[in-house]
Amino acid sequence: MAPTPDLIIDIDPSEVGSETVRTVTLPWSGQSVPVRIPAGMTDGAVLQLPGLGPVTAPGESPRDAYLQVRLVPGAAGAVPPTPVPPTTPFGAVPPASGPPAGPYGAPPMSAPPASGPPAGPYGAPMSGPPAGPYGAPPMSGPPAGPYGAPPMSGPPAGAYGGPPMSGPPASGPPMGPAPFGPYPPVPAPSGGSGRGKILAIVGGAVAVVLLVVLAVPVLLWLNRDSGDPKNTAGSGPAGGASPSAAPMSPPEYQALLASVDKSVGDAFGKLGGAKNPKAVGSAVDGIESAIEQQIEALSRVVPPPNVATAHADLLSGLEGLSDSLAETGSAAGAGEVCLGYSALARLSREAAAEDVRAAQQALATADPAQAYQVGKFVPKKTSDTNRRLSNGKFLKRNRSGLGELKIENGGSTDAVINVVRNGSKSAAISVYVRAKGKITVGGVRDGTYRIYMTGGKDWDGKAKAFGRDCNFQRFEDSFKFSTTSSQYTIWTITLTPTAGGNARTSDVDPGDFPG
């Protein structure tokens, strides 16, 4: 959805085929701004004017302004919501609702000029020879150059001190003094359509506000939802497409969308295979990078006109999805998301994923002649599961000894205990213990062991790991089992702090946890 426009400009449908230049007045500042309206505009398209909007709070910079384009037969000009008189470097200019005003805000000329000697600058009568510019002593000789420069002894110089004009002066009405110094007169249009006259007027306005306006890009916002326009057309990482760039052809645009699907889809495939939180975080970073690259590519182009709105919605959805990925990466670091499938399920329920699906549908139906395809990488909406094994279920067991290990899980989540013989990287015994459950593991072979434990929710039997809310720990002490003709070893461990307990635990990197 596009932002609320601050200004509305109407153009005739006959002007859509080529670029049009119009001058609009910003009602909040009175500034006149020449705006390029790209070819191929659709009714309701919005142009973004960076940094030219009103100030929304004291001390803040002006926000962007938004100009909506409407196609109206016979239209010409912008319609501001609240007319405000423009300003000049010398103050406000009164609206031209009556007779023309005198120079710099002097009372309007309600009658023909009085007879007699011409008045001097600012209305002072000239009792003698004409005064020099801005009240300088009377000119007793040849007229001085601009701003007190030496008198011109030859033909009149060109504007800005350029070479003398060897031809006759340009025709057309004389122009008033420019705020920033003299500038060349704008050639009068040589007939033709009203559009030529508009361009001539814009040319004059550009000379006045050259230092202020020409450095400001005009951005095309085609009914795009606001928000962080990380990458609006022209405000994204690529700087945006030129507003006057030609729209892509349908085959070119579909090829670009296919490139988006390939790049982002490959990155999502790596997330699906992540088998611990560390791998989830790495895969999420890869997807973020791929999406940012594709946002940049999409922001540089002008799509076919009939999918402009859907294109902007796709960009908005991808930006939101990038933010959701960053949150999922943080969740993986905190152990809230532990496997790739649980990260995909989380992302599938995000509002940004739904936004991309909506843009996908819009692109597929906007053009009856071309069903654009994109967004296959978005995971299907999936709910969380909570799979559990029965208490005391062995994942791996060795019955070659007489030792016993008693396990009590007083916590709120299920756990898996791995008993690993010193010098080995795999578990000799692995057993599932439910929350609040107890179990005695018999048949432990003599030797010295380290005991590792992982807890969480939703046990994935294939990955042999919990999908959500996982943790990884080990007991710092070793456990020795020995058997004689009259005795064998029995160890008891609890998975929650116990009064009188003497065993300490420490966290383990998920990648180093023995499986």
Side-chain angles (χ1 to χ4, degrees):
M1 184 166 120
T4 302
D6 301 294
L7 294 167
I8 298 174
I9 189 167
D10 295 340
I11 65 174
D12 191 278
S14 64
E15 300 179 272
V16 172
S18 60
E19 181 180 291
T20 302
V21 180
R22 293 285 174 86
T23 297
V24 298
T25 299
L26 307 179
W28 45 88
S29 66
Q31 181 181 0
S32 294
V33 181
V35 177
R36 291 190 306 157
I37 302 173
M41 284 290 91
T42 57
D43 187 54
V46 177
L47 298 174
Q48 184 180 6
L49 311 179
L52 293 180
V55 176
T56 56
E60 292 188 0
S61 300
R63 66 169 174 80
D64 295 349
Y66 300 100
L67 174 67
Q68 186 178 54
V69 178
R70 297 189 309 192
L71 303 185
V72 179
V79 183
T82 306
V84 175
T87 59
T88 71
F90 303 100
V93 177
S97 58
Y104 307 106
M109 298 182 289
S110 58
S115 62
Y122 307 102
M126 295 189 298
S127 58
Y134 302 101
M139 298 181 291
S140 58
Y147 303 102
M152 298 180 290
S153 57
Y160 305 104
M165 298 181 290
S166 58
S171 61
M175 300 181 68
F180 303 109
Y183 53 86
V186 180
S190 57
S193 68
R195 184 178 170 206
K197 295 180 181 178
I198 290 170
L199 290 175
I201 293 170
V202 169
V206 169
V208 175
V209 294
L210 179 65
L211 300 180
V212 178
V213 175
L214 292 188
V216 179
V218 177
L219 309 181
L220 180 60
W221 187 295
L222 296 168
N223 297 328
R224 175 136 181 224
D225 200 357
S226 61
D228 156 17
K230 270 185 186 175
N231 297 297
T232 62
S235 62
S242 167
S244 60
M248 299 184 79
S249 67
E252 290 172 335
Y253 187 60
Q254 179 56 65
L256 177 60
L257 297 181
S259 174
V260 173
D261 262 5
K262 174 85 167 62
S263 175
V264 181
D266 288 349
F268 264 99
K270 294 179 181 178
L271 176 59
K275 295 184 178 180
N276 59 56
K278 191 173 181 179
V280 168
S282 178
V284 163
D285 289 344
I287 301 174
E288 277 193 89
S289 177
I291 286 181
E292 291 299 328
Q293 290 175 3
Q294 297 310 312
I295 288 175
E296 181 177 354
L298 290 168
S299 297
R300 288 182 180 274
V301 305
V302 177
N306 53 0
V307 296
T309 299
H311 175 84
D313 290 343
L314 175 62
L315 275 170
S316 180
L318 290 174
E319 290 162 3
L321 192 58
S322 180
D323 292 339
S324 298
L325 283 159
E327 294 172 1
T328 300
S330 297
E336 298 171 17
V337 177
C338 309
L339 296 175
Y341 80 85
S342 58
L344 289 172
R346 176 188 173 114
L347 288 167
S348 75
R349 301 189 298 270
E350 294 285 348
E354 193 60 36
D355 290 342
V356 176
R357 293 188 193 103
Q360 176 188 40
Q361 182 63 23
L363 285 166
T365 57
D367 186 349
Q370 174 70 59
Y372 295 101
Q373 301 296 318
V374 71
K376 297 177 182 178
F377 52 82
V378 179
K380 183 179 179 181
K381 194 170 184 178
T382 307
S383 300
D384 285 333
T385 55
N386 192 24
R387 295 163 291 179
R388 305 173 73 189
L389 298 179
S390 59
N391 187 58
K393 172 70 175 179
F394 282 96
L395 307 177
K396 189 174 183 180
R397 188 174 186 183
N398 187 333
R399 292 177 175 270
S400 60
L402 297 176
E404 291 184 2
L405 176 63
K406 296 182 178 182
I407 305 169
E408 298 180 8
N409 181 7
S412 59
T413 57
D414 296 355
V416 169
I417 306 302
N418 285 352
V419 182
V420 181
R421 193 180 185 94
N422 278 4
S424 176
K425 294 183 179 180
S426 61
I429 300 171
S430 183
V431 61
Y432 192 100
V433 185
R434 284 196 171 195
K436 310 300 181 183
K438 300 180 180 180
I439 185 177
T440 297
V441 178
V444 180
R445 186 177 179 180
D446 288 355
T448 302
Y449 297 85
R450 302 296 298 269
I451 297 181
Y452 293 78
M453 50 194 171
T454 178
K457 296 178 181 177
D458 193 34
W459 178 257
D460 186 325
K462 184 176 180 180
K464 292 184 171 56
F466 290 102
R468 304 188 311 277
D469 298 336
C470 58
N471 57 76
F472 301 85
Q473 295 179 307
R474 75 175 183 185
F475 285 94
E476 294 188 359
D477 296 326
S478 297
F479 294 80
K480 185 176 182 179
F481 290 83
S482 61
T483 304
T484 66
S485 58
S486 58
Q487 63 183 17
Y488 58 87
T489 304
I490 300 175
W491 284 98
T492 299
I493 61 173
T494 61
L495 308 186
T496 53
T498 303
N502 59 359
R504 293 176 298 173
T505 61
S506 59
D507 292 333
V508 177
D509 187 298
D512 296 333
F513 193 84

